[in-house]
Amino acid sequence: MASRCRLLYGQKVFEKHDGERYRAFLAECRAAAAEGRAKGPSIKTGALLPHEVTSNAKKVEEMNEANATLLESMREEVELQWRGLVRACAEARGGREGRPGLSMVPVCDVSGSMLCE
């Protein structure tokens, strides 16, 4: 699924219509990310920006969802989206996540003016 579509509709739609296969897919993505595999199942992040993923993470953390399974899969998907962004940055710098070639300093402004509200 395209990254933008997944960001807007992914979790609830997949969980609602085919929750079992969706959770299995997330587990496969998690295993591939943990092993550092470039091939295999993954959460696409090509059109996402970091502030969109962090905004989504904030929304997920503020949810008081009665369906614990849905909430957990949403948390996992946000985590995988973030890992995908880190991996894409590392590859753009000529390396892989946690490998030589990645030389950057992340800068994060957490002041009140950056809440975009």
Side-chain angles (χ1 to χ4, degrees), residues 3-5 7 43-50 52-53 81 85:
S3 58
R4 173 85 35 215
C5 183
L7 180 72
I43 300 293
K44 307 299 183 229
T45 58
L48 297 181
L49 298 173
E52 294 170 324
V53 177
Q81 286 173 332
L85 286 173

Side-chain angles (χ1 to χ4, degrees), residues 22-34:
Y22 175 65
R23 287 186 297 278
F25 173 74
L26 289 178
E28 289 176 28
C29 291
R30 184 180 348 105

Side-chain angles (χ1 to χ4, degrees), residues 3 43-54 78-92 97 104:
S3 58
I43 300 293
K44 307 299 183 229
T45 58
L48 297 181
L49 298 173
H51 76 277
E52 294 170 324
V53 177
T54 55
V78 167
E79 175 67 26
L80 290 168
Q81 286 173 332
W82 186 257
R83 285 182 183 214
L85 286 173
V86 171
R87 185 183 64 246
C89 287
E91 289 171 358
E97 181 181 358
M104 65 178 86

Side-chain angles (χ1 to χ4, degrees), residues 12-41:
K12 288 189 176 185
V13 171
F14 275 116
E15 189 68 36
K16 178 180 177 182
H17 294 288
D18 197 357
E20 188 175 319
R21 285 193 328 166
Y22 175 65
R23 287 186 297 278
F25 173 74
L26 289 178
E28 289 176 28
C29 291
R30 184 180 348 105
E35 294 173 8
R37 288 186 276 159
K39 301 283 184 186

